[in-house]
Amino acid sequence: MSELGVHSEVGRLRKVMVHRPELSLRRLTPSNHDDLLFDDVLWVERAQYEHDQFVARMRERGVEVYLLLELLGEALAASDEARKRLIALVVSEYTVGWSLVDEIRAVLWEMEADQLAQHLVGGLTVAEADLDLSTYAKTSLIGAALDDTSQFILPPLPNTLFTRDSSCWIYGGVSINPMYWPARRREAYNVGAIYQGHPMFRDAPFNYWYPPLGDDGRLNIVDFGLASLEGGDVMPIGNGTVLIGMSERSQGRMIEEIAHALFTHEAAERVIACVMSRDRAHMHLDTVFTLLDRDKATAFPKVLQDIRAISLRPGTSEGDFHVTKERDFLGAVADALGVSELTVVEIGGDQYQQEREQWDDGNNVVALEPGVVIAYERNTYTISKMRAAGVEVIEIAGFELGKGRGGGHCMTCPLLRDPV
């Protein structure tokens, strides 16, 4: 098997990329957390402790865990070309203003690789860029408008914590995802730099499902951001099938784009679009449905009953799909998995507890192997029902991590996972 590729949702997890809480989360405040897509500020030291325990539980089960910030720093140190491309994408007329592009690019270029990685995720303030506002106020509109050296030239990216979203591996390739909210789009540039510049990925054989590589070996991002896709909606469940939530964050145009790429390379035979309602409490498919075992899943019934499944398969002529409206979502998933029926562990408790545990990511578990998952310990009702169904549940604390509205599934980007 290749050293990279994700061939199921529950096969043995071999390699995974995560992001330990850092500077970006220290820069969340009561006044900016809404703009940065968080419901609350986090006690960062506690979040780091909880994340370290999460990583430790995976490593105890033999998973190779890679930290995104370390990979980014190593990629920037290994490749001047990757560094140059990333700085050019991050610092443009549209992010810092035409009059400051050259100055900010120069500031970032002079940084050591690990420091640069820190600021590409954690943000860059006026003070950190060492800008003399009295000077730039005479030559730059942006400089004239800035009145405080603590203001951001580049805002932080605290949602980097959820590595599932910015890129997702589907069978033998990866999609670098155009995120729904502008506050997250730079995350994709960072992971793109890792895949293009880090030695672990640079020379490895894999496909880019999106964006495609141009003839010059660079990612073709001409239409990047015109439609959105996030990895929390994407599940390569095995048997040549991929589930993709058509949700608040992922749009039909991008589902078709991924399906076309997969079918062209004969990497998949079926993409099931899962049409969902739009709600922050279930922003991605993996917040209401995740697989626990080959024939078991956990789900939030209130939303699950309304998901519509539409299967895409290769069409008979160029430019078309073969489209099937499925009778029901669970039946379509069971059919794709090759099981007679999917056992569904509904999120636990009465109506009130179900809503609480849904909010606390009771469904958002990550499988380490068939029938073994990691879950937040606070979701006691759901965990007890999983165990009653024969699933081994490894509990982790999530008092602070959970404030970001994401569990173990959201916080992991699998790089290598076995088929089932």
Side-chain angles (χ1 to χ4, degrees), residues 162-185:
F162 306 118
T163 54
R164 175 78 53 163
D165 293 329
S166 54
S167 69
C168 52
W169 289 79
I170 308 170
Y171 300 112
V174 67
S175 172
I176 301 172
N177 298 326
M179 314 284 269
Y180 180 73
W181 292 105
R184 295 199 66 180
R185 288 183 187 156

Side-chain angles (χ1 to χ4, degrees), residues 204-280:
F206 64 89
N207 290 304
Y208 285 94
W209 304 134
Y210 186 85
L213 286 180
D215 294 337
D216 59 356
R218 299 177 65 171
L219 294 170
N220 182 357
I221 60 170
V222 172
D223 63 349
F224 196 88
L226 296 182
S228 62
L229 178 78
E230 299 191 0
D233 281 316
V234 182
M235 298 184 186
I237 61 173
N239 291 342
T241 300
V242 185
L243 307 183
I244 306 183
M246 196 167 167
S247 67
E248 180 194 44
R249 306 290 182 89
S250 297
Q251 298 167 357
R253 180 263 187 206
M254 279 303 306
I255 296 176
E256 288 200 344
E257 189 77 19
I258 297 299
H260 172 65
L262 292 169
F263 296 160
T264 298
H265 290 83
E266 298 182 344
E269 302 170 0
R270 181 180 183 183
V271 170
I272 303 178
C274 311
V275 185
M276 302 168 59
S277 59
R278 294 168 174 246
D279 191 298
R280 173 136 177 89

Side-chain angles (χ1 to χ4, degrees), residues 43-333:
W43 175 14
V44 177
E45 290 79 8
R46 174 68 188 187
Q48 289 174 329
Y49 168 79
E50 292 173 357
H51 196 271
D52 290 344
Q53 298 308 302
F54 176 43
V55 168
R57 300 293 83 76
M58 289 191 285
R59 286 178 170 159
E60 288 169 0
R61 295 298 182 111
V63 182
E64 293 182 53
V65 182
Y66 297 90
L67 300 180
L68 182 147
L69 202 62
E70 291 183 1
L71 291 176
L72 181 57
E74 290 162 0
L76 296 171
S79 170
D80 280 349
E81 184 62 24
R83 174 192 283 244
K84 186 183 299 182
R85 289 182 193 175
L86 183 54
I87 290 174
L89 283 170
V90 168
V91 181
S92 72
E93 295 87 343
Y94 304 105
T95 57
V96 303
W98 174 81
S99 57
L100 287 180
V101 166
D102 293 340
E103 289 82 356
I104 303 304
R105 285 180 178 175
V107 167
L108 296 183
W109 183 259
E110 292 301 317
M111 290 181 178
E112 295 294 329
D114 57 349
Q115 182 188 18
L116 175 57
Q118 175 183 326
H119 286 293
L120 288 171
V121 176
L124 183 73
T125 66
V126 172
E128 290 163 344
D130 197 26
L131 289 183
D132 181 349
L133 293 183
S134 63
T135 298
Y136 287 103
K138 301 173 184 176
T139 60
S140 165
L141 171 61
I142 306 302
L146 292 168
D147 57 10
D148 185 341
T149 58
S150 67
Q151 289 180 277
F152 291 115
I153 298 293
L154 294 174
L157 301 174
N159 291 279
T160 300
L161 175 65
F162 306 118
T163 54
R164 175 78 53 163
D165 293 329
S166 54
S167 69
C168 52
W169 289 79
I170 308 170
Y171 300 112
V174 67
S175 172
I176 301 172
N177 298 326
M179 314 284 269
Y180 180 73
W181 292 105
R184 295 199 66 180
R185 288 183 187 156
R186 283 178 22 237
E187 294 175 45
Y189 296 152
N190 288 338
V191 294
I194 291 172
Y195 297 144
Q196 291 246 285
H198 194 283
M200 185 168 76
F201 302 95
R202 189 175 56 208
D203 301 320
F206 64 89
N207 290 304
Y208 285 94
W209 304 134
Y210 186 85
L213 286 180
D215 294 337
D216 59 356
R218 299 177 65 171
L219 294 170
N220 182 357
I221 60 170
V222 172
D223 63 349
F224 196 88
L226 296 182
S228 62
L229 178 78
E230 299 191 0
D233 281 316
V234 182
M235 298 184 186
I237 61 173
N239 291 342
T241 300
V242 185
L243 307 183
I244 306 183
M246 196 167 167
S247 67
E248 180 194 44
R249 306 290 182 89
S250 297
Q251 298 167 357
R253 180 263 187 206
M254 279 303 306
I255 296 176
E256 288 200 344
E257 189 77 19
I258 297 299
H260 172 65
L262 292 169
F263 296 160
T264 298
H265 290 83
E266 298 182 344
E269 302 170 0
R270 181 180 183 183
V271 170
I272 303 178
C274 311
V275 185
M276 302 168 59
S277 59
R278 294 168 174 246
D279 191 298
R280 173 136 177 89
H282 49 269
M283 68 186 80
H284 294 130
L285 179 62
D286 71 358
T287 63
V288 296
F289 175 86
T290 52
L291 288 172
L292 306 170
D293 203 339
R294 294 177 177 88
D295 60 353
K296 297 184 180 76
T298 181
F300 182 37
K302 183 178 178 180
V303 175
L304 190 74
Q305 64 190 6
D306 293 326
I307 294 178
R308 293 184 292 122
I310 302 173
S311 289
L312 304 181
R313 294 180 174 88
T316 56
S317 59
E318 182 66 26
D320 291 331
F321 296 111
H322 181 275
V323 180
T324 304
K325 292 185 177 181
E326 304 290 352
R327 288 173 56 187
D328 67 276
F329 170 69
L330 290 178
V333 176

Side-chain angles (χ1 to χ4, degrees), residues 25 28-43 158-159 161-162 181 248-249 279-283 287 358-361 399-406:
L25 284 165
L28 277 180
T29 69
S31 61
N32 71 17
H33 68 70
D34 285 339
D35 291 339
L36 295 172
L37 310 180
F38 271 72
D39 294 315
D40 200 352
V41 298
L42 276 67
W43 175 14
N159 291 279
L161 175 65
F162 306 118
W181 292 105
E248 180 194 44
R249 306 290 182 89
D279 191 298
R280 173 136 177 89
H282 49 269
M283 68 186 80
T287 63
Q358 167 62 25
W359 185 250
D360 289 332
D361 298 295
F399 184 78
E400 290 300 320
L401 288 178
K403 289 181 179 179
R405 307 272 74 83

